[in-house]
Amino acid sequence: MKKRVISMVLAGLMVFSLAACGGGGDSDGGSSEGGEEESGSDMKIAMITDSGDITDQSFNQTTYEACKAWGAENDVEFNYYKPESDSDEARNASVDQAVADGANVVVMPGYMFAAAVVTQSEMYPDVKFVALDVGEGDICEKGVGEGYDYDPSHYDVTEYYNTDNVYCCTYQEELSGYMAGYAAVKLGYKHLGFLGGMSVPAVTRFGYGYVQGADAAAVELGIADQVEIEYVCGGQFYGDADITAYMDTWYGGKSVEVVFACGGGIYTSAVEAANKTGGMVIGVDSDQSAVIGEDITVTSAMKGLAATVKTVLTDIQAGNWSDYAGKIDNLGLVSENPEENYVQLPLETTKWGDGFTEDDYRTLVKAMLDGEIEVSNDITAMPATTIKVNDYGSIK
């Protein structure tokens, strides 16, 4: 239950106790004061990284760059903070430090910030929290604690955090995953792989969407008996020698042609193995062609993190926080123009071909938007397919 009066007292004590501590991250000028509605120089933005850093070429980097660019364009001070360890306590401490440094808008990318949503939103009622990719299930897991049955529909999520100062959103990863799988098969790839990070819901939605898209394209082409997917999660969000060796067996031993590497820095293992054999890679979250290598990147299944950051910060500046407070949006397709959607493939770097052109992609997006193509977001079991899918569980 919410304890607003106690929280406000604790907030004051916490800020006072941290006032002498050092700050973190980098800054882009400006000044800030707390208040009900920020505008212009009254805003002071902080972004906290999750378990990675701002060079991960994925969630953290995309969010960091979007926040920094928006702050520079709007003359608003921005800082980022990297927690000292991968723990709820460390992430909460970074929020404490950001608030002590004067932040009144805190951007937090990833489901790992559910604990911060639960505790820090009550602690700092005058701070606006923007939690990207944090959903009801994530909040309930941290709010309910022991005894949580992992079905958020059994709980009132609003009982576990301060809805007045938090905006949460998730993304329909299954849609961009579907686009990537569909594109890969249409472009001629028949032996596909999926390398996830940890098997958290977002990663699974990407993977199951990928499987559905590949299956649909294979059925359309009449080659379902020729298309096969190898499917595994690494059990972590970074690559290492063990995962690279596993990928070596896929590209080298099994003759896998393209791997969708989905989960923070785990792409490094797929890239290392692909470079040995001339294999191909599909990126995730942002356009990863630059870091994966333009020559070996087929496409990237992207989330609109930057678009979300820009839209929400602009509306906060305009005094429209009431349009966001307490909402948990599930962002996906909003337009038949691919570049306007919150899930998409990159138009400029996807390796279009005769089998799947940019026009074909636009036709696919319109069909998905119009409901002519339906993609399941059910992650309770691997989707039923006509093609063969070999699910190996987790490497670690």
Side-chain angles (χ1 to χ4, degrees):
M1 298 293 289
K2 299 175 182 175
K3 300 179 179 62
R4 300 287 175 83
V5 175
I6 294 175
S7 297
M8 291 176 71
V9 173
L10 288 173
L13 291 173
M14 182 64 73
V15 171
F16 178 79
S17 67
L18 290 172
C21 297
D26 75 359
S27 172
D28 273 340
S31 61
S32 68
E33 294 290 341
E36 286 301 311
E37 294 294 348
E38 286 77 26
S39 63
S41 61
D42 292 333
M43 290 175 69
K44 186 172 182 179
I45 303 166
M47 175 249 174
I48 317 295
T49 61
D50 58 4
S51 63
D53 57 38
I54 60 168
T55 60
D56 66 359
Q57 292 293 329
S58 188
F59 236 67
N60 290 295
Q61 184 167 349
T62 300
T63 306
Y64 164 77
E65 291 176 350
C67 288
K68 184 175 182 179
W70 189 92
E73 291 169 3
N74 292 276
D75 193 26
V76 172
E77 184 175 346
F78 164 70
N79 292 279
Y80 86 93
Y81 298 78
K82 181 179 179 179
E84 292 185 355
S85 65
D86 179 12
S87 67
D88 291 339
E89 293 75 16
R91 282 181 282 273
N92 288 348
S94 287
V95 173
D96 293 336
Q97 188 61 64
V99 175
D101 290 343
N104 51 28
V105 178
V106 177
V107 181
M108 307 181 298
Y111 76 96
M112 293 180 182
F113 285 100
V117 168
V118 170
T119 61
Q120 307 302 84
S121 67
E122 292 282 5
M123 184 75 75
Y124 303 114
D126 292 329
V127 175
K128 295 174 175 61
F129 292 91
V130 179
L132 307 174
D133 223 29
V134 176
E136 288 187 7
D138 304 315
I139 296 171
C140 286
E141 181 178 0
K142 295 298 183 179
V144 176
E146 186 176 355
Y148 177 55
D149 66 4
Y150 292 91
D151 186 344
S153 67
H154 294 164
Y155 305 86
D156 180 359
V157 68
T158 64
E159 291 295 320
Y160 303 106
Y161 73 109
N162 184 358
T163 58
D164 293 339
N165 66 336
V166 177
Y167 170 67
C168 296
C169 68
T170 57
Y171 296 89
Q172 296 171 36
E173 295 94 352
E174 68 276 5
L175 299 185
S176 55
Y178 183 100
M179 296 170 189
Y182 187 93
V185 173
K186 286 284 188 173
L187 287 169
Y189 298 102
K190 295 181 180 179
H191 199 173
L192 286 63
F194 176 82
L195 171 63
M198 296 174 67
S199 56
V200 297
V203 170
T204 305
R205 284 192 293 270
F206 267 127
Y208 286 6
Y210 180 68
V211 169
Q212 293 176 70
D215 185 61
V219 170
E220 286 181 18
L221 293 172
I223 58 170
D225 61 335
Q226 303 173 41
V227 175
E228 185 174 1
I229 296 181
E230 313 293 343
Y231 192 105
V232 76
C233 282
Q236 60 192 39
F237 286 121
Y238 55 91
D240 63 15
D242 293 335
I243 296 175
T244 299
Y246 201 96
M247 291 295 99
D248 285 339
T249 67
W250 276 14
Y251 284 111
K254 295 179 181 291
S255 298
V256 169
E257 300 165 286
V258 58
V259 171
F260 179 15
C262 178
I266 204 164
Y267 74 90
T268 57
S269 283
V271 170
E272 185 176 344
N275 279 325
K276 298 173 186 176
T277 62
M280 303 296 287
V281 179
I282 293 172
V284 74
D285 289 336
S286 59
D287 181 358
Q288 291 191 307
S289 59
V291 64
I292 289 174
E294 293 182 2
D295 290 344
I296 67 169
T297 306
V298 175
T299 189
S300 295
M302 302 194 304
K303 293 181 182 180
L305 296 168
T308 308
V309 167
K310 179 179 179 180
T311 299
V312 177
L313 293 182
T314 298
D315 279 343
I316 291 175
Q317 185 183 52
N320 297 325
W321 176 247
S322 60
D323 293 341
Y324 295 91
K327 289 186 176 180
I328 304 178
D329 285 333
N330 188 218
L331 303 174
L333 300 177
V334 295
S335 171
E336 63 182 53
N337 297 318
E339 60 272 29
E340 297 176 3
N341 292 317
Y342 289 101
V343 286
Q344 56 180 270
L345 304 180
L347 293 176
E348 293 185 1
T349 60
T350 295
K351 294 192 182 305
W352 312 112
D354 292 340
F356 192 64
T357 66
E358 183 177 326
D359 285 342
D360 292 331
Y361 169 55
R362 292 181 180 277
T363 299
L364 174 67
V365 170
K366 187 176 187 306
M368 294 172 72
L369 179 68
D370 293 343
E372 296 173 14
I373 295 174
E374 296 184 359
V375 183
S376 174
N377 64 358
D378 181 12
I379 57 173
T380 58
M382 179 69 71
T385 59
T386 304
I387 63 174
K388 184 178 181 181
V389 179
N390 303 308
D391 186 354
Y392 301 103
S394 185
I395 297 173
K396 297 187 177 184

